[in-house]
Amino acid sequence: MTTTRRDFLGTSGSLVVAFAMGRPRAAGAQELPRSLGREPSLDSWLRLDASGRITVFSGKCEIGQGIKTALVQIVADELDVGLASVDIVTADTARTPNEGYTAGSMSMQTSGAALRQAAAEVRQILLKEAAGRLGAATGALSVSEGRVRAPNGRGVTYSQLVEGADLRGEARGEAQPKLPGERRLAGTSVPRLDIPAKVFGQAAFVHDLRLDGMVHARVVRPPSYGARLARVRPVVNEVPGALRTHRDGSFLAVVNEREENAVAMAEDLAARAEWEGETELPPADDLDGWLRRQETADGEVSALGVDPASVPSSMRVKASYAKPYLAHGSVAPSCAVAVDRAGELTVWTHSQGVFPLRASLARVLGIAAEKIRCIHMDGAGCYGHNGADDAACDAALLARALPGRPVRVLWSRQDELRWAPFGSAMSIDLEAGLDDSGRVTSWRHDLWSHAHSTRPGRQPTFVAGWHLAEPVPLPSALNIPQPFGGADRNAVPLYDFGSQRIVEHFIRHMPVRVSALRSLGAFANVFAIESFMDVLAAKAGADPIDFRLRHLSDPRGRAVVEAVRESSGWVSPVKAGSGRGFAFTRYKNRGSYLAMVVEVSAAGGAISVDRATAVVDAGEIVNPDGVRNQIEGGIVQAASWALRESVSMDSSRVRSTDWRSYPILRFSEVPEVSVELIDHPELPPLGVGETAQGPTAAAIANAIAAATGERRSTIPLERAVV
Amino acid sequence: MARLRVNGRSHDVQTAADAPLLYALRNDLGLSGPKFGCGLGQCGACTVLVDGRATRSCIRRVGTVAEDAEIVTVEGLGAPASPHPLQSAFIAEQAVQCGYCTAGLVMAGAALLQETPDPGDDQIRAALDGHLCRCGAYGRVVRAVRRAAGEMRR
């Protein structure tokens, strides 16, 4: 069977894969950034009011990565105003451009580039207007804090220029954004704008939204994915404040005036509900074998040179790697508020994509998308497709049942860990040939995986939809094609091997709910490739870093590798019982570069990750501390995934439902992390949110091998010890 | 019905005696600092001070809190115009990614610094070990608590 990669084209499902329609440009004009090309009206992106305040509109949203701050920096820079003069509105179907999902570490490349160009164009229009009023050439004008000055000392403010300057035209690609040396704010560690509200306990999250007349809802889910509601035994104890017990097929929910009473109602209803049927889940003790036994759609991801099997070599080496299902485990359960006012539905959500969410809600509710407004509000840290969209659907269904009342749905911790999608389990075989000089001459990579995105958008994929009397079942799974890749993300090696075949065995069957988890398939692929490179280096008798450099020609890749060798003290001795491990990646083969060294100690069988040193080249860095924060957090989270995490299930139910049964890394266990940045202000930004995931796992496995002599190739790496 | 003393003022709340304190704080008093994270006392997002002790408000029942017990939430600790040194330190260290666990961490830090004004990093980690930060801002949080301790000793 062959994969039909064309399936994916035309979907808006997973990534911002924007297809810019080339508009005719004036001579000398440059191609517009993709997002701006799709939505060229300047006032879709930027508005100035008569008081001189600037409002930025972005289709991207804050998911804990600091995007609002970085976008404000870019605009304030281009317009020569202070940060305090700029407000930002994000991801609102009624107010902002449609920029698809905030995913794939793409926001700086897409929204950042669009806003920088839009701001440059607005600045040019304002300067033209100022030149006329001040009687000076535009080139002679200077701007500071929103005030335009002519050489003769006369000046005019943006607020005075707004009347007269038409800022509602279309971007033309004729304005030149500032050159790196002219930037004042982009490239500096501006403190994040959203942090104070969160530190002072102000209402900062969708969880904190309180509307007049708002009521509280809880959903009662089945015990197993495929279970159906058979019957509900009658109420014995009435809970005060009950507004509604809602049943639509197997979708069960309660609504109460008070939150604690909604919880009590849900507990009572759960005890009275009888379910039948169940989904058979993969065997916990043979997940890897199960993956390989599934029917697959096989496709060649990459083929370079002759068939690896035909390349003569002095040594052939094979290894297998495995990764279990992993949970997002956002620290807040999913939440949404929805209200239906005269058939117009408004949904406040922490979804990563308000426009695709709206399209899917329209399908499930059977109403026009124009009747729905989805507004993003912050949720807890989002590492991909968690329960946010599902909670929005839950709230929308219940709001339709209670017109006029804002309905707030909050998932339980148990449901968040049981019902939110997981990152797919994966299994990988690697095989390489080495020649006498210790060079890799052939490379083969086979991977088995489910889909890595089942986000709503192309079609609805909400949990509630599966359970409705008229169900909206999950559509068939699609893989995200190269060059981004889904299951095969980062499966193509970054090294020069001459002969390579990368083959994907895509499993369409999804008994376990899976979707996008930070870095998608890259986590397992980089874990495997970079673990295997250490194995090969040992066979070749080479230092692991030297061995990589022997096969790495990309100068930016070499630069991060060489820099981390220096800053980590790679060649200095380690203390007894400790070991260092190295790993390298370029996320998505086209995003940011990262090389890292991890130091672990293995005392009495327990593994402790003590230190991690990373060097990153992310192209232009708009906010260095923001980038550091993302890389530090990515390393800590990936260390937790790699060492400890695995969704546990029995034959029909997910069993890891709280922080005891799904433990993650804690304060006393996290490594000291240092991050060094190689800045390239002259190059495009490359995105950093997901780069650290794969290399962290590999560097830890390599460090464990260095410390103990034992090579671990199955995540969670701790498990072999216990 | 219960009477609670929160951030220096007494309030009557509608929350039943056997309901978690968290709902009284959030829904009767309109406070947003204490967060629902797990409802099981496992993650720390709901942490407030009750008579100076770090307390998980998602599992502490309203009826077990004395009328005159002093409950402090992150809103009562400090405000933008008069920040507590811990709040200033979390901002200075940018010790936040999504910020959902932050208020609970600030409160646990406050409880620690009342008892131990000059904690070492290991003491800070031990005091915060029952708090989860899925974004992985742990290192920055330790630095923020250390910085606040230094400020408060001045």
Side-chain angles (χ1 to χ4, degrees):
Chain A
M1 234 187 284
T2 54
T3 39
T4 52
R5 285 169 187 283
R6 265 185 220 97
D7 280 1
F8 180 78
L9 295 175
T11 75
S12 62
S14 341
L15 278 171
V16 183
V17 188
F19 302 97
M21 296 299 150
R23 283 162 181 270
R25 300 261 152 253
Q30 35 193 340
E31 187 71 27
L32 291 176
R34 278 188 312 203
S35 276
L36 189 58
R38 286 160 55 119
E39 182 61 69
S41 303
L42 290 172
D43 70 350
S44 296
W45 299 92
L46 284 173
R47 284 178 216 165
L48 270 71
D49 69 18
S51 70
R53 285 207 72 75
I54 295 160
T55 306
V56 173
F57 299 86
S58 169
K60 299 295 183 181
C61 59
E62 183 67 52
I63 53 175
Q65 84 284 42
I67 189 68
K68 283 185 182 175
T69 308
L71 295 177
V72 167
Q73 282 179 262
I74 286 174
V75 169
D77 223 3
E78 284 303 322
L79 287 170
D80 283 309
V81 298
L83 293 165
S85 305
V86 183
D87 300 312
I88 183 162
V89 174
T90 57
D92 177 341
T93 56
R95 299 182 74 190
T96 68
N98 177 358
E99 293 192 86
Y101 279 103
T102 301
S105 302
M106 296 287 289
S107 296
M108 295 312 296
Q109 296 98 306
T110 53
S111 210
L115 281 166
R116 176 172 275 162
Q117 183 65 32
E121 306 231 350
V122 165
R123 185 179 198 271
Q124 192 182 54
I125 295 166
L126 291 167
L127 287 185
K128 218 177 222 171
E129 174 74 13
R133 294 205 202 172
L134 299 173
T138 51
L141 301 173
S142 64
V143 191
S144 171
E145 294 295 321
R147 189 175 174 80
V148 187
R149 282 193 180 75
N152 63 11
R154 292 179 63 203
V156 61
T157 63
Y158 282 169
S159 54
Q160 293 167 312
L161 291 168
V162 167
E163 203 178 321
D166 182 8
L167 303 178
R168 287 166 304 173
E170 292 205 346
R172 301 161 63 88
E174 288 166 14
Q176 170 66 50
K178 288 186 173 178
L179 298 171
E182 299 167 331
R183 297 174 193 149
R184 301 161 298 119
L185 294 167
T188 65
S189 291
V190 166
R192 267 188 31 206
L193 305 171
D194 58 320
I195 287 182
K198 294 170 179 176
V199 166
F200 291 110
Q202 295 162 0
F205 298 91
V206 68
H207 304 71
D208 303 328
L209 181 64
R210 295 173 180 91
L211 300 175
D212 284 344
M214 188 173 81
V215 294
H216 295 272
R218 292 293 185 277
V219 178
V220 175
R221 305 264 183 223
S224 174
Y225 286 117
R228 288 282 171 262
L229 188 61
R231 67 196 68 79
V232 179
R233 291 191 300 275
V235 179
V236 178
N237 302 308
E238 289 286 352
V239 176
L243 287 168
R244 188 180 175 88
T245 295
H246 184 85
R247 178 176 176 180
D248 181 345
S250 293
F251 177 71
L252 267 186
V254 296
V255 188
N256 196 292
E257 298 280 357
R258 291 190 59 89
E259 189 166 17
E260 66 273 23
N261 292 343
V263 174
M265 278 179 84
E267 285 170 357
D268 176 67
L269 181 57
R272 291 186 287 115
E274 293 177 16
W275 307 86
E276 54 193 27
E278 57 187 31
T279 297
E280 190 185 335
L281 297 180
D285 55 354
D286 184 28
L287 178 57
D288 198 50
W290 179 88
L291 287 171
R292 289 165 183 249
R293 288 194 299 274
Q294 300 309 296
E295 187 188 336
T296 58
D298 298 341
E300 208 162 63
V301 176
S302 162
L304 277 183
V306 298
D307 182 357
S310 71
V311 178
S313 56
S314 57
M315 196 189 307
R316 299 200 76 79
V317 187
K318 291 183 185 183
S320 298
Y321 298 88
K323 173 223 155 191
Y325 297 99
L326 294 176
H328 292 85
S330 289
V331 85
S334 294
C335 182
V337 179
V339 63
D340 182 328
R341 294 195 199 281
E344 306 265 340
L345 187 72
T346 306
V347 183
W348 291 266
T349 172
H350 54 110
S351 164
Q352 285 174 276
V354 289
F355 285 91
L357 170 65
R358 178 175 71 166
S360 278
L361 286 177
R363 295 272 296 274
V364 169
L365 300 174
I367 59 175
E370 294 68 37
K371 295 281 186 192
I372 306 173
R373 177 181 180 187
C374 294
I375 304 171
H376 180 268
M377 287 183 74
D378 289 13
C382 168
Y383 323 106
H385 179 195
N386 57 20
D389 299 285
D390 299 303
C393 180
D394 296 341
L397 287 165
L398 295 166
R400 298 277 288 171
L402 281 165
R405 298 297 301 265
V407 179
R408 175 182 186 264
V409 169
L410 178 69
W411 279 21
S412 66
R413 167 53 45 201
Q414 292 85 345
D415 279 351
E416 187 73 25
L417 284 170
R418 207 162 19 207
W419 282 98
F422 299 117
S424 175
M426 285 177 69
S427 181
I428 293 167
D429 278 350
L430 293 176
E431 180 175 354
L434 282 167
D435 68 11
D436 287 335
S437 67
R439 272 198 75 93
V440 175
T441 51
S442 65
W443 180 274
R444 184 174 167 108
H445 181 142
D446 284 87
L447 67 97
W448 288 259
S449 176
H450 303 288
H452 285 258
S453 177
T454 60
R455 293 181 188 273
R458 179 175 60 90
Q459 291 183 61
T461 58
F462 309 114
V463 161
W466 312 352
H467 298 143
L468 296 176
E470 284 182 49
V472 187
L474 194 62
S476 70
L478 300 174
N479 191 31
I480 300 167
Q482 292 285 333
F484 300 99
D488 49 328
R489 183 166 291 182
N490 273 105
V492 179
L494 297 156
Y495 303 106
D496 314 319
F497 292 148
S499 151
Q500 68 188 37
R501 292 288 183 280
I502 316 301
V503 179
E504 172 182 86
H505 308 275
F506 185 70
I507 304 164
R508 291 197 191 277
H509 180 47
M510 296 182 289
V512 178
R513 189 180 188 210
V514 290
S515 194
L517 174 64
R518 197 175 188 175
S519 84
L520 311 191
F523 177 66
N525 289 318
V526 174
F527 164 62
I529 292 170
E530 288 296 302
S531 293
F532 195 50
M533 285 299 278
D534 259 38
V535 171
L536 295 172
K539 298 281 185 199
D543 170 81
I545 292 183
D546 288 340
F547 186 73
R548 262 75 162 200
L549 290 171
R550 195 180 283 175
H551 298 90
L552 183 60
S553 54
D554 182 337
R556 293 174 76 179
R558 293 182 66 89
V560 293
V561 172
E562 283 163 355
V564 85
R565 174 157 62 182
E566 278 304 305
S567 57
S568 68
W570 176 253
V571 294
S572 65
V574 286
K575 61 180 190 291
S578 291
R580 285 199 194 98
F582 170 87
F584 162 72
T585 199
R586 180 180 194 192
Y587 183 54
K588 290 188 289 190
N589 293 44
R590 55 199 288 131
S592 53
Y593 298 82
L594 180 146
M596 68 190 292
V597 171
V598 159
E599 202 169 311
V600 307
S601 51
I607 300 293
S608 161
V609 180
D610 300 326
R611 203 160 287 105
T613 308
V615 177
V616 179
D617 170 359
E620 181 198 348
I621 294 169
V622 173
N623 190 316
D625 190 63
V627 169
R628 272 196 201 94
N629 204 351
Q630 284 293 291
I631 298 292
E632 290 167 13
I635 289 172
V636 169
Q637 187 178 75
S640 183
W641 293 356
L643 284 172
R644 184 162 303 169
E645 296 185 29
S646 172
V647 175
S648 65
M649 34 192 115
D650 61 20
S651 61
S652 67
R653 299 180 185 198
V654 174
R655 289 294 182 185
S656 39
T657 59
D658 64 9
W659 296 118
R660 293 218 166 84
S661 46
Y662 194 88
I664 65 172
L665 228 54
R666 292 172 173 272
F667 269 93
S668 57
E669 302 171 306
V670 298
E672 249 180 67
V673 181
S674 64
V675 178
E676 187 184 314
L677 305 178
I678 297 178
D679 192 14
H680 282 291
E682 75 287 3
L683 296 174
L686 296 174
V688 293
E690 300 166 285
T691 309
Q693 308 310 108
T696 300
I700 292 172
N702 292 338
I704 292 171
T708 66
E710 186 198 343
R711 182 143 286 284
R712 296 185 186 174
S713 49
T714 297
I715 288 171
L717 299 171
E718 270 182 352
R719 186 164 287 173
V721 185
V722 180
Chain B
M1 277 292 279
R3 196 164 176 78
L4 295 173
R5 195 164 165 76
V6 181
N7 297 332
R9 289 179 55 194
S10 288
H11 304 265
D12 291 320
V13 299
Q14 300 297 315
T15 319
D18 62 349
L21 174 62
L22 177 65
Y23 297 123
L25 299 174
R26 288 188 60 87
N27 298 337
D28 288 272
L29 303 182
L31 297 167
S32 295
K35 303 289 191 212
F36 182 92
C38 63
L40 304 163
Q42 295 177 351
C43 77
C46 64
T47 302
V48 299
L49 300 183
V50 178
D51 285 335
R53 293 175 63 91
T55 300
R56 304 279 160 111
S57 66
C58 76
I59 50 170
R60 180 73 183 263
R61 290 177 193 282
V62 169
T64 68
V65 182
E67 265 190 39
D68 60 349
E70 293 285 350
I71 301 167
V72 180
T73 71
V74 78
E75 291 94 333
L77 207 61
S82 55
H84 186 278
L86 272 163
Q87 291 167 318
S88 304
F90 269 69
I91 294 170
E93 295 288 348
Q94 296 284 289
V96 172
Q97 275 190 33
C98 77
Y100 198 85
C101 66
T102 303
L105 285 165
V106 170
M107 300 317 290
L112 168 69
L113 296 184
Q114 277 173 16
E115 294 276 309
T116 315
D118 188 13
D121 282 1
D122 286 345
Q123 284 173 295
I124 297 171
R125 288 195 192 94
L128 302 181
D129 211 35
H131 288 251
L132 300 177
C133 168
R134 185 55 160 167
C135 299
Y138 292 113
R140 287 170 180 248
V141 170
V142 172
R143 288 205 294 278
V145 175
R146 197 198 305 144
R147 174 193 278 253
E151 285 295 318
M152 289 167 74
R153 287 196 309 275
R154 284 228 203 129

